[in-house]
Amino acid sequence: MELEDSPGADAAPDPGERAGRRWRARRWHGALLVLAGVLGGCAGVVFSLADDPAAEAPGGAAAADAPPRYVFVAWLAYDGTPEPPPTPTPTPTPPPARLQSAQGVRLWSDGDSTSYFMTVALFAGWSALGGVPVRGADYKISSGLMRPDFFDWPAYLAAEMARYDPDVVVFMVGANDANQVRSAEEYGARVGAVMDLLYRPGRTVVWVGQPNMGRADLAASVPRINAVFAEQAAARPWVLYLDTWALTSAPDGSYAAALPDEHGTVQVIRVSDGVHFTPAGGRRLALAVIAALFEPGR
């Protein structure tokens, strides 16, 4: 195959060839501008030459001096593919409506030994209001969330929720955990997992905090776990945290073995160990639970 002779270095270029070179140069200039925009990360803006026939045609004098024109293309990247839509803001889980009536509302309550007389009084009061306790009063002695090898509350709660499907769950543990917790984050994960396990649409969970304690070691450690309960409940609209520390304290904030009831009559609310409740103390907690379920804003 014969190759054509190349033009000499001193040969004068043809006028049509000069125009063609200018036209090709303008094409490369536009392409380079697009490439620069891609590398610069300015997605959604496309550079193009002005839509001028004189600028496109070889030999057009106006195109040589015309700057590129910015063309904005909504929701398109440089390669022409659609931009991903913005991530939608998740709809928050609505808090459960405060009850207007206990009539027919199914209630479940359980916990460690500090909870027993509260559950007894709560079931009696709930029945008087037309509600339905789903089982008899019970408690799990020496139990908590730190020792599932001793008593596995998550497994037990899952079985109880499946069996009874209550509308209201009241749960009280922590006295046996207070001196064992070394990490608020780790304990918070345990508490949060139980709160999540108890969730179903329309169900209200009342997480009852631990009371003021007459034992020095628990008086020092219980506020830390109560803070965990309050924090985890605040992140879950279906959970109401009931602070019983103030409810079981004297006016000056100290531990109180006896306090006035709703009628102003002084009642002994704690037994001699400074931890557990008397029936009067359990009633005090039960009335607070019922008030939390009906009062808005608590």
Side-chain angles (χ1 to χ4, degrees):
M1 177 185 298
E2 287 189 14
L3 298 176
E4 294 182 0
D5 292 335
S6 299
D10 56 349
D14 181 75
E17 183 181 352
R18 289 197 303 270
R21 288 177 181 173
R22 288 195 302 272
W23 181 77
R24 286 192 296 274
R26 287 192 297 272
R27 281 294 190 182
W28 277 105
H29 180 65
L32 288 173
L33 285 174
V34 172
L35 179 59
V38 172
L39 296 176
C42 302
V45 181
V46 178
F47 293 99
S48 74
L49 296 175
D51 189 14
D52 184 355
E56 293 293 330
D65 300 323
R69 185 175 62 184
Y70 299 98
V71 179
F72 295 90
V73 182
W75 304 111
L76 288 183
Y78 274 110
D79 60 1
T81 59
E83 289 285 347
T87 303
T89 302
T91 303
T93 303
R98 293 296 187 266
L99 299 177
Q100 300 300 312
S101 169
Q103 191 70 39
V105 176
R106 296 166 56 80
L107 182 142
W108 179 100
S109 178
D110 207 339
D112 61 22
S113 53
T114 65
S115 74
Y116 178 66
F117 284 117
M118 174 193 73
T119 298
V120 171
L122 182 59
F123 283 175
W126 202 248
S127 296
L129 293 171
V132 182
V134 296
R135 33 158 277 187
D138 195 8
Y139 69 97
K140 308 299 178 289
I141 192 169
S142 301
S143 66
L145 302 182
M146 291 296 294
R147 290 287 308 276
D149 58 323
F150 174 76
F151 187 81
D152 191 343
W153 271 111
Y156 177 78
L157 289 169
E160 290 284 286
M161 296 303 103
R163 181 178 182 183
Y164 296 112
D165 189 26
D167 304 306
V168 176
V169 171
V170 181
F171 188 53
M172 183 180 183
V173 297
N176 299 300
D177 292 334
N179 289 335
Q180 300 182 54
V181 173
R182 297 294 177 264
S183 165
E185 291 74 17
E186 190 270 342
Y187 191 61
R190 292 173 185 259
V191 171
V194 171
M195 291 178 176
D196 292 341
L197 183 155
L198 294 172
Y199 171 77
R200 78 149 164 77
R203 174 181 291 157
T204 301
V205 176
V206 182
W207 194 286
V208 182
Q210 287 295 296
N212 199 336
M213 293 290 186
R215 270 176 45 182
D217 59 332
L218 290 175
S221 59
V222 159
R224 291 195 292 269
I225 64 166
N226 279 346
V228 172
F229 298 152
E231 179 182 18
Q232 294 299 316
R236 293 165 173 83
W238 64 92
V239 180
L240 300 176
Y241 171 65
L242 179 62
D243 177 11
T244 67
W245 185 276
L247 189 66
T248 56
S249 298
D252 63 359
S254 63
Y255 171 80
L259 287 169
D261 64 12
E262 70 273 23
H263 305 296
T265 303
V266 175
Q267 303 279 355
V268 176
I269 65 168
R270 308 296 283 275
V271 299
S272 58
D273 64 5
V275 176
H276 293 90
F277 286 92
T278 65
R283 173 178 166 76
R284 187 178 186 86
L285 296 186
L287 291 175
V289 169
I290 293 172
L293 287 167
F294 287 94
E295 290 180 9
R298 289 195 57 169

